[in-house]
Amino acid sequence: MSLRHAILGLLARKPSTGYELSGMFDASLRSAWHARHSQIYPELARLEEGGLVEVVDRGPRGSKTYALTDDGRTELRRWLVDDEPDRSQRNESAVRLFLNQLLDPADRRKVFTRDLEHVEAETAALLDLRERMDPDEPFAAQIELGLRINEVLATWLREQAER
Amino acid sequence: MSLRHAILGLLARKPSTGYELSGMFDASLRSAWHARHSQIYPELARLEEGGLVEVVDRGPRGSKTYALTDDGRTELRRWLVDDEPDRSQRNESAVRLFLNQLLDPADRRKVFTRDLEHVEAETAALLDLRERMDPDEPFAAQIELGLRINEVLATWLREQAER
DNA sequence: GCCATCATGTAAAAGGTTACATGATTTT
DNA sequence: AAAATCATGTAACCTTTTACATGATGGC
């Protein structure tokens, strides 16, 4: 399980309420992870009980701002550095790519064109993000990686669609 | 849900027993999807009940070989071509990449080096697979894509490790 | 005869999604 | 005053993992 680590990671960047975390799972981590508030609130309660996070502020509408404790920071570092990543997680896009060979040429072209559109939209979003961003923000390198991977994908998809 | 579609896809390539499917989820789909036999057998039963697959052979040890029916083939095509792919699936590697910025330089280098070793091992496995493969097999293009993405990843990881 | 592998299933527990439920503030 | 947004929680349901359970066959 590592919803707990995703939450610890987001809280390490900035102390937040469960509601704000919910927004970050939609925005920053968009395609990488999605967690609903119904999962976030109970997990925050468990993390607090385990002493990995603590409530550092309360807002006017009953909101609770959580931050990492020292134990939380230690656990996050341990997970990132010492735990072998679980690389076996399911990826529907890869399964579809693998199965595309089964389609006849017309269907295959249709699918590749749809995928290409999606990659191009994502590239546009990343370019936009990079433009509006502080150039020496540490996240810049990750955006660069995303752009390079999307370029490879777009090239490959165009080749396939033209076959 | 699309474990059912992954199974339909594998059966479209070749009629198989549940045991063989279980092996394919480990081998062909390795990092893209992993399903245990405890999930596969009940799903095969449901697919048979729904008329999407049928038993076409029985082996000496009580094995049942399943194949797609016409309905199964139709449903697989519908899913691949007409269903909008679910691109929001969780990806632990991406979360780790996103959180790496939180680490101090020594830890970050350690993590990038570990990732680089993994990418290089995967590249070697893909090269080996390509070598031992029929050159006009339709799967060749997917291997090519994997190699290109891994090259981008390796380059990026080396840049990051040297920073 | 023994061990590895083939082969299928069920049950319990954990993780994740959808739906239900409520209420406070801020904006229009 | 109404609507949007902020804010938290629980319950029912579905999916996935781990553990339990059993047995046949082929090679040594």
Side-chain angles (χ1 to χ4, degrees):
Chain A
M1 205 258 293
S2 61
L3 167 66
R4 65 188 302 107
H5 295 111
I7 290 177
L8 288 175
L10 289 173
L11 289 180
R13 292 165 56 86
K14 188 174 179 301
S16 314
T17 67
Y19 185 83
E20 286 165 340
L21 286 174
S22 178
M24 291 179 212
F25 274 101
D26 282 0
S28 320
L29 291 183
R30 47 169 86 88
S31 60
W33 203 289
H34 195 256
R36 315 298 168 108
H37 74 272
S38 59
Q39 224 186 332
I40 292 169
Y41 290 119
E43 187 62 44
L44 279 171
R46 277 191 291 272
L47 285 167
E48 192 186 9
E49 202 181 86
L52 300 181
V53 306
E54 61 187 342
V55 175
V56 292
D57 194 24
R58 279 163 191 277
R61 299 186 200 177
S63 70
K64 287 180 276 184
T65 301
Y66 290 89
L68 291 198
T69 61
D70 286 342
D71 279 1
R73 230 174 305 275
T74 304
E75 169 57 17
L76 176 61
R77 186 200 159 277
R78 190 200 60 72
W79 178 69
L80 280 172
V81 180
D82 299 330
D83 258 17
E84 196 55 31
D86 177 5
R87 305 182 203 265
S88 74
Q89 278 168 76
R90 72 184 181 289
N91 179 347
E92 185 178 307
S93 301
V95 173
R96 282 173 178 269
L97 229 43
F98 177 77
L99 295 176
N100 276 348
Q101 337 155 17
L102 299 168
L103 295 172
D104 65 56
D107 281 343
R108 210 183 308 138
R109 239 187 319 275
K110 193 175 158 191
V111 167
F112 283 135
T113 305
R114 176 187 64 192
D115 288 351
L116 183 57
E117 273 164 23
H118 178 261
V119 170
E120 281 169 346
E122 206 183 81
T123 298
L126 284 173
L127 285 171
D128 185 58
L129 192 61
R130 185 171 68 175
E131 225 167 84
R132 287 183 296 97
M133 202 181 59
D134 196 348
D136 42 65
E137 156 133 27
F139 190 47
Q142 274 83 350
I143 291 182
E144 181 59 31
L145 174 63
L147 286 168
R148 289 189 203 170
I149 287 182
N150 275 0
E151 202 188 312
V152 167
L153 265 171
T155 303
W156 186 86
L157 286 168
R158 271 189 219 102
E159 285 170 17
Q160 297 303 310
E162 279 164 19
R163 262 201 334 174
Chain B
M1 206 258 293
S2 60
L3 167 66
R4 66 189 301 106
H5 296 110
I7 290 177
L8 288 176
L10 290 173
L11 289 179
R13 292 166 56 85
K14 186 175 182 300
S16 314
T17 66
Y19 185 82
E20 287 166 337
L21 286 173
S22 178
M24 292 179 211
F25 274 102
D26 281 1
S28 321
L29 290 182
R30 48 169 84 89
S31 61
W33 202 291
H34 195 255
R36 316 299 170 108
H37 73 272
S38 58
Q39 223 185 333
I40 293 169
Y41 291 119
E43 188 62 44
L44 279 172
R46 275 190 292 273
L47 286 167
E48 193 186 8
E49 202 181 85
L52 300 181
V53 305
E54 60 188 343
V55 176
V56 291
D57 194 24
R58 277 163 193 275
R61 299 188 200 181
S63 69
K64 287 178 276 182
T65 301
Y66 291 89
L68 291 199
T69 62
D70 286 343
D71 279 1
R73 231 175 303 276
T74 304
E75 168 57 18
L76 177 61
R77 187 201 157 277
R78 192 201 58 73
W79 178 68
L80 281 171
V81 180
D82 300 332
D83 258 18
E84 195 55 33
D86 177 5
R87 306 183 202 264
S88 75
Q89 277 169 77
R90 71 185 181 289
N91 178 347
E92 185 178 307
S93 301
V95 173
R96 283 174 179 269
L97 229 45
F98 178 76
L99 296 176
N100 277 348
Q101 337 155 18
L102 299 168
L103 295 172
D104 64 56
D107 281 343
R108 212 185 304 138
R109 239 186 318 274
K110 193 176 157 189
V111 168
F112 284 135
T113 305
R114 177 187 63 192
D115 288 352
L116 184 57
E117 274 163 22
H118 178 261
V119 170
E120 282 168 346
E122 205 182 82
T123 298
L126 285 173
L127 285 172
D128 185 59
L129 191 62
R130 186 172 66 176
E131 226 167 85
R132 289 182 295 99
M133 202 180 62
D134 196 348
D136 43 65
E137 155 135 29
F139 190 46
Q142 275 82 353
I143 291 182
E144 181 59 31
L145 174 62
L147 286 169
R148 289 189 203 170
I149 287 181
N150 275 0
E151 201 188 314
V152 167
L153 265 171
T155 304
W156 186 85
L157 286 168
R158 272 189 218 102
E159 284 170 19
Q160 297 304 310
E162 277 163 20
R163 262 199 336 170

